Amino acid sequence: MSSPSSFQHSQQSLLHHHHHHLHSLSHTLLQTESNNMVKFSKQFEGQLIPEWKHAFVDYWQLKKDLKKLYLLKNDNNPAAATTAATAKAATTLLSSIKKLSIFCHQQRDHGPIHVHKKLASSASKGDMYETELLDQFADTTAAKEFFSCLDFQLNKVNQFYKTKESEFMERGDSLKKQLEILIDLKSAIQHRRQTGDIAPDSKEDSSISYTISCAEESVKDKTEQEQSPENINDELEKTELAFSDSPRSEEMENSTRSKSLDKKWRSVSGRVISFQGKNIKVNIPLTTPSRTFSAISHLFREDLANSKKCNEGTKLHIKKTRLHHAEKMIKGAFVELYKGLGFLKTYRHLNMLAFIKILKKFDKVTDKQVLPIYLKVVESSYFNSSDKVIKLADEVEELFIKNFAEEDKRKAMKYLKPKQRKESHGITFFVGLFTGCFIALLIGYVIMAHIMGMYKRQPFSLYMETVYPILSMFSLMFLHFFLYGCNIFAWRKTRINYSFIFELSATKELKYRDVFLICTTSMTAVIGVMFVHLALLSKGYSYTQVQVIPGLLLLFFLLLLVCPFNIYYRSSRYRFIRVMRNIAFSPLYKVVMLDFFMADQLCSQVPMLRNLEYMACYYITGSYKTQNYNYCMNAKHYRDLAYAVSFLPYYWRAMQCARRWFDEGQTSHLVNLGKYVSAMLAAGAKVAYEKDKAKGVGWLCLVVIMSSGATVYQVYWDFVKDWGLLQMNSKNPWLRNDLMLRRKTVYYFSMGLNFILRLAWLQTVLHSTFGHVDSRVTGLFLAALEVIRRGLWNFFRLENEHLNNAGKFRAVNPVPLPFDEIDEVD
């Protein structure tokens, strides 16, 4: 591996870099000046890192202070602002910037301000700046407020930059050590092959043995610096070697797990290996069921081994495949580090541009030459003068190209700087085309169904029993998907970084236009098939002849979901299948944000799942040939399955809460588990009440009690925990301090609407219908209301998650690392 010293930059390259950086700032500023259609404040807001927004220069507050100064000046002298002065300030902008450089030593003897450099109280904060106003200002009150705010912003930017720089430098050093260990282990395996210690065709050829010290239990437990994130990329899940059982550092503070349980499972996730004079701890993750069961069995083997002679040592085989997994993890960590360094470069560039812009505006308002003086201070400040990030980024790039890209820079850049997929205008065209087709087919279908009386309330309706569930199922599914597209659109407009929260790949994530295209094409196909099926019935065809058509439609969508060909968003389809697998096997898989978010969606799709269950029974048992639909409704095993399907999503979600409590140790996950248990009980009571023909008063009272308790529990959790609202001491009454939407009435309206839609279960008690329409249509309408409620919930849930990330300035994922080097084993 190349040493860090081989990547040091010369003084000449640094000088060239700073001059090039200054020239790019000037060029960017001139471009913004020439484009009058877009204000700089909008460009600034659109380019900053959302999670670091509060760490950027508060450009809007500086504009407010400058506006006060402008109004005060106009009140004293209305004719002060002339076009000549404005033109002069604009023409001298570029010349003023070009004269500035951190290597320029020219000083101004006189000027309107003088900036003092002071040492901070602590070394971590660095230097502090304070501006002194000289006598040139006629009225200094408003000017003092402006420069006081400006000094505060400069000090804030310097402190944040230094903190993040230190964090990334520490991460970089850790990654370089990880890479050294990995290279040494791979070299050892290669050495065994070359020396012929083992036969080439031996099964042990893919592994290397080390001695595990039995004294590892006496090693003092140290706090792990590399924490396992809650949101781990799906691709990294498949290749992880290390799954640290400890949560993120901010979550560890609230952990209530007992020390004995933590110590027991820490011994599962890490083994101490003596290798080349080093004691290396290999963290073994529990992300998959096979690893979980393997870890549990390892506990029994460990206890058995400890009961025997411990001094003889134990042999551990680190297989080559595991080293490959470790390599994948380190590779992903390098990618995240490079991304963070890129964010820090953007942070420096945008803040520098903001300082230039606001100082230029100040010169225009006051007719003073403050820009050359203060900007020299900004340029020499830490966030602009430090080159550690640039060096580390170059070093990471070189290491990645050498060790993970086979010396191919273009291949490395696909990982380090992935290009986002461009949005095609063709997608917009087809969305409009299929939307028109869907509306036309829907109108035709509704008219034909009304003429044939398919949806009228009647004791016997073969169509409503056998065909309508297909339409209802697809309608609920794609309504939910459509609302997800609306969520993506709203998240993008409000700068909520949903891609980072969900760990989505920038090159493969679905845009809102893609979601709308999937919805419109799918529903056009569904309504088209339903229209053809209904037209054949109107022509005199029997149900036996045409009943296979809805079944073929369902089969087509199932085959499309698992289609191995790279068509129709294959990566997203397969990701959906993996997420569903993780949910179905809860709690054996580690729970990430996307997993429990999708499980929450399933909790709102219980009617859709019951329709799917019924149609599967109807077609698998061959009832569609005999039109004996009562078989699937009266069979005992089907009725038992109906109970299971009704509360299965809540069970999955409860198991996810249990797994998160086990991994993170927070009691709030147990409280959340209780919410889903109450929902399971309420759902079971409703199913039992619907199946009871007598509909006794006892079942009715049980439904009311269970559903009321679950509703209160859920509403409280929605508002307080998921949305972060109802904060008593908030500056926004009954909301929270930080809001992504400007209008507070939207939050109050959403809270009221969420509460009303949570009461949809009352239909089970009231049995309300729409005139002579079949009760199943009413059921579909109420189920659609629950889906709409979930779509509303999704926006505020991710808004709260985004604000949590922003509050902790978390913009990159802290990928766990596979190796820990221990200094000493007693």
Side-chain angles (χ1 to χ4, degrees):
M1 189 189 75
S2 302
S3 61
S5 60
S6 61
F7 302 104
Q8 296 295 327
H9 287 236
S10 64
Q11 187 70 17
Q12 183 178 1
S13 63
L14 289 177
L15 179 61
H16 177 268
H17 164 74
H18 282 288
H19 280 294
H20 176 73
H21 176 63
L22 187 61
H23 176 73
S24 63
L25 286 176
S26 305
H27 180 69
T28 306
L29 185 57
L30 290 178
Q31 284 184 334
T32 57
E33 285 296 322
S34 62
N35 187 4
N36 296 326
M37 299 299 293
V38 181
K39 293 184 178 180
F40 171 77
S41 58
K42 292 184 178 180
Q43 290 183 337
F44 183 68
E45 185 177 12
Q47 296 178 17
L48 56 80
I49 294 94
E51 289 78 11
W52 294 355
K53 182 177 181 180
H54 296 296
F56 277 83
V57 173
D58 194 347
Y59 185 78
W60 299 270
Q61 181 61 42
L62 290 172
K63 285 183 62 178
K64 291 180 181 179
D65 293 341
L66 193 58
K67 186 176 181 180
K68 294 179 182 178
L69 187 62
Y70 175 77
L71 294 176
L72 182 62
K73 179 182 178 182
N74 285 347
D75 290 341
N76 296 333
N77 186 11
T82 62
T83 55
T86 303
K88 180 180 179 181
T91 54
T92 57
L93 172 63
L94 184 58
S95 60
S96 300
I97 297 177
K98 287 184 177 180
K99 293 179 182 178
L100 295 175
S101 173
I102 61 171
F103 300 99
C104 179
H105 301 285
Q106 297 179 359
Q107 300 290 336
R108 291 178 59 96
D109 296 332
H110 304 282
I113 63 172
H114 180 71
V115 183
H116 297 278
K117 183 177 180 179
K118 299 181 179 180
L119 294 179
S121 57
S122 61
S124 60
K125 293 185 178 181
D127 298 327
M128 306 292 287
Y129 296 93
E130 183 178 352
T131 302
E132 177 188 0
L133 302 184
L134 303 182
D135 296 336
Q136 281 86 343
F137 289 100
D139 185 273
T140 59
T141 304
K144 282 183 178 180
E145 292 181 0
F146 173 81
F147 280 102
S148 176
C149 182
L150 190 64
D151 293 337
F152 174 78
Q153 299 302 322
L154 178 58
N155 295 329
K156 178 184 71 174
V157 169
N158 278 325
Q159 182 179 351
F160 179 82
Y161 185 89
K162 189 172 185 179
T163 302
K164 282 298 176 181
E165 182 188 68
S166 176
E167 176 184 331
F168 288 138
M169 294 298 295
E170 183 180 355
R171 181 70 170 178
D173 294 338
S174 177
L175 276 176
K176 283 183 281 187
K177 292 180 181 179
Q178 295 282 317
L179 189 58
E180 288 178 357
I181 296 174
L182 178 65
I183 292 175
D184 290 341
L185 292 175
K186 292 172 68 176
S187 300
I189 293 179
Q190 186 68 23
H191 178 70
R192 292 192 68 195
R193 288 199 188 127
Q194 295 176 356
T195 56
D197 292 344
I198 53 177
D201 56 347
S202 174
K203 293 182 178 180
E204 294 183 359
D205 182 55
S206 61
S207 64
I208 182 171
S209 299
Y210 302 92
T211 300
I212 303 178
S213 174
C214 291
E216 68 179 23
E217 297 297 332
S218 64
V219 178
K220 295 181 180 180
D221 292 334
K222 63 178 181 178
T223 304
E224 296 184 0
Q225 297 180 357
E226 310 299 337
Q227 302 296 340
S228 173
E230 182 178 304
N231 303 326
I232 301 178
N233 190 284
D234 188 78
E235 294 181 1
L236 290 178
E237 283 185 337
K238 297 187 296 183
T239 59
E240 278 186 282
L241 175 66
F243 175 164
S244 176
D245 62 317
S246 57
R248 294 175 300 190
S249 57
E250 62 270 9
E251 295 175 345
M252 289 181 63
E253 298 176 358
N254 300 324
S255 177
T256 58
R257 298 179 63 184
S258 64
K259 293 183 179 179
S260 59
L261 181 63
D262 183 70
K263 182 178 180 181
K264 188 71 173 176
W265 283 97
R266 184 175 297 179
S267 65
V268 176
S269 63
R271 311 301 301 163
V272 178
I273 303 172
S274 298
F275 171 70
Q276 295 183 354
K278 300 178 181 179
N279 297 313
I280 300 173
K281 182 178 180 182
V282 182
N283 297 314
I284 302 176
L286 312 178
T287 48
T288 62
S290 60
R291 293 178 184 177
T292 304
F293 291 133
S294 176
I296 295 175
S297 62
H298 180 78
L299 282 178
F300 293 102
R301 292 198 304 269
E302 181 187 53
D303 293 338
L304 182 62
N306 290 337
S307 63
K308 297 180 180 180
K309 294 181 179 181
C310 189
N311 296 328
E312 297 179 357
T314 306
K315 292 293 182 181
L316 175 67
H317 293 274
I318 299 183
K319 294 183 178 180
K320 185 179 178 181
T321 54
R322 291 190 174 183
L323 290 181
H324 180 68
H325 295 332
E327 181 179 358
K328 290 289 186 181
M329 289 191 60
I330 297 174
K331 178 181 177 180
F334 268 106
V335 172
E336 289 297 320
L337 175 61
Y338 192 83
K339 185 197 301 183
L341 295 173
F343 286 160
L344 208 53
K345 290 180 183 179
T346 302
Y347 178 81
R348 171 163 59 182
H349 173 78
L350 290 179
N351 281 313
M352 190 67 187
L353 194 60
F355 279 118
I356 294 175
K357 189 68 177 178
I358 199 65
L359 290 171
K360 171 183 171 294
K361 287 181 177 292
F362 183 87
D363 286 357
K364 283 185 177 181
V365 171
T366 60
D367 296 332
K368 304 292 182 181
Q369 291 296 322
V370 172
L371 174 63
I373 303 174
Y374 201 94
L375 193 57
K376 182 182 293 186
V377 176
V378 175
E379 281 195 318
S380 62
S381 64
Y382 187 85
F383 87 95
N384 188 66
S385 60
S386 176
D387 61 343
K388 293 181 181 180
V389 171
I390 300 173
K391 288 183 178 180
L392 182 59
D394 293 339
E395 186 175 355
V396 168
E397 186 175 321
E398 293 289 340
L399 290 174
F400 195 91
I401 294 173
K402 179 179 179 180
N403 296 281
F404 302 109
E406 301 175 352
E407 302 289 348
D408 188 349
K409 184 175 182 179
R410 180 176 298 180
K411 180 180 179 181
M413 290 299 104
K414 291 182 180 179
Y415 294 96
L416 298 177
K417 294 182 179 179
K419 296 181 179 179
Q420 293 188 355
R421 181 168 52 89
K422 295 182 179 180
E423 297 183 1
S424 174
H425 294 292
I427 295 179
T428 306
F429 169 77
F430 283 110
V431 168
L433 176 63
F434 286 109
T435 300
C437 295
F438 165 71
I439 295 175
L441 289 171
L442 180 62
I443 294 175
Y445 173 79
V446 171
I447 293 175
M448 185 177 296
H450 177 72
I451 294 174
M452 298 178 65
M454 290 296 183
Y455 290 101
K456 291 182 179 180
R457 190 186 309 173
Q458 46 188 317
F460 176 78
S461 177
L462 185 61
Y463 186 85
M464 296 300 296
E465 295 288 350
T466 59
V467 181
Y468 182 74
I470 290 283
L471 178 62
S472 175
M473 179 185 65
F474 283 116
S475 298
L476 292 175
M477 180 189 305
F478 290 110
L479 172 62
H480 207 144
F481 209 53
F482 172 79
L483 292 174
Y484 175 69
C486 296
N487 287 144
I488 293 177
F489 179 81
W491 291 330
R492 291 186 63 180
K493 287 294 183 181
T494 53
R495 300 274 295 164
I496 294 176
N497 197 354
Y498 69 95
S499 299
F500 171 72
I501 296 174
F502 287 146
E503 305 273 349
L504 300 177
S505 173
T507 59
K508 298 179 181 179
E509 66 169 316
L510 291 176
K511 309 295 184 182
Y512 69 91
R513 289 187 179 90
D514 299 316
V515 176
F516 291 156
L517 179 62
I518 294 174
C519 293
T520 53
T521 54
S522 300
M523 284 307 298
T524 298
V526 170
I527 297 299
V529 170
M530 292 293 103
F531 182 81
V532 171
H533 179 267
L534 199 59
L536 292 175
L537 289 178
S538 65
K539 294 291 185 180
Y541 289 89
S542 64
Y543 278 95
T544 305
Q545 294 175 300
V546 300
Q547 204 67 349
V548 70
I549 295 178
L552 292 176
L553 177 65
L554 179 59
L555 180 62
F556 169 77
F557 276 99
L558 290 176
L559 293 177
L560 180 62
L561 180 63
V562 299
C563 178
F565 302 107
N566 191 15
I567 57 173
Y568 209 65
Y569 306 103
R570 182 181 65 176
S571 60
S572 298
R573 289 189 283 110
Y574 279 18
R575 186 176 183 86
F576 172 78
I577 294 175
R578 288 193 295 268
V579 171
M580 294 303 297
R581 175 206 63 189
N582 296 349
I583 294 174
F585 287 96
S586 299
L588 300 179
Y589 284 95
K590 176 171 173 65
V591 183
V592 296
M593 178 67 185
L594 187 59
D595 291 345
F596 68 77
F597 181 84
M598 181 62 70
D600 278 324
Q601 311 307 305
L602 293 178
C603 292
S604 296
Q605 287 286 7
V606 173
M608 185 270 292
L609 295 176
R610 293 186 64 180
N611 286 332
L612 178 61
E613 170 211 14
Y614 172 76
M615 297 311 301
C617 174
Y618 180 72
Y619 283 101
I620 291 176
T621 58
S623 299
Y624 71 96
K625 298 178 181 178
T626 60
Q627 305 307 316
N628 184 20
Y629 63 87
N630 288 322
Y631 172 78
C632 289
M633 300 180 65
N634 298 327
K636 183 179 183 303
H637 59 274
Y638 171 80
R639 298 184 64 179
D640 295 338
L641 189 60
Y643 281 98
V645 171
S646 297
F647 61 75
L648 192 58
Y650 303 107
Y651 166 79
W652 287 333
R653 194 65 186 88
M655 290 299 99
Q656 287 180 335
C657 293
R659 176 59 190 261
R660 294 188 67 190
W661 169 80
F662 179 82
D663 290 338
E664 303 171 9
Q666 293 186 359
T667 55
S668 59
H669 296 310
L670 293 180
V671 181
N672 196 17
L673 185 148
K675 181 187 71 172
Y676 293 103
V677 170
S678 67
M680 289 167 54
L681 297 176
K686 284 187 285 186
V687 172
Y689 177 69
E690 291 173 355
K691 296 297 181 181
D692 188 5
K693 296 181 179 180
K695 290 183 171 58
V697 178
W699 279 114
L700 178 61
C701 294
L702 184 62
V703 168
V704 173
I705 294 174
M706 289 294 187
S707 298
S708 299
T711 299
V712 174
Y713 207 154
Q714 292 165 356
V715 168
Y716 168 80
W717 201 269
D718 287 344
F719 295 162
V720 178
K721 299 297 183 179
D722 291 336
W723 293 5
L725 304 178
L726 296 182
Q727 296 183 8
M728 303 299 296
N729 298 326
S730 172
K731 63 182 180 181
N732 302 309
W734 299 100
L735 301 178
R736 63 172 106 85
N737 290 329
D738 296 326
L739 301 175
M740 300 298 294
L741 302 178
R742 296 181 179 179
R743 297 184 178 180
K744 301 177 184 179
T745 54
V746 175
Y747 292 92
Y748 297 118
F749 174 78
S750 299
M751 292 169 64
L753 183 62
N754 182 80
F755 175 75
I756 294 174
L757 295 180
R758 279 287 190 185
L759 300 177
W761 59 268
L762 289 174
Q763 190 272 342
T764 307
V765 179
L766 301 177
H767 302 287
S768 58
T769 57
F770 300 116
H772 300 287
V773 180
D774 193 279
S775 60
R776 297 174 185 83
V777 179
T778 306
L780 174 61
F781 175 76
L782 295 175
L785 290 181
E786 169 60 21
V787 172
I788 294 173
R789 187 202 67 81
R790 180 61 65 179
L792 182 69
W793 178 90
N794 290 342
F795 175 82
F796 295 105
R797 177 66 182 88
L798 250 69
E799 179 193 15
N800 190 39
E801 185 70 20
H802 172 78
L803 291 175
N804 290 335
N805 290 335
K808 300 165 186 175
F809 302 105
R810 186 170 54 238
V812 293
N813 291 317
V815 180
L817 301 178
F819 307 118
D820 287 332
E821 186 175 349
I822 300 177
D823 296 334
E824 183 180 358
V825 178
D826 297 332

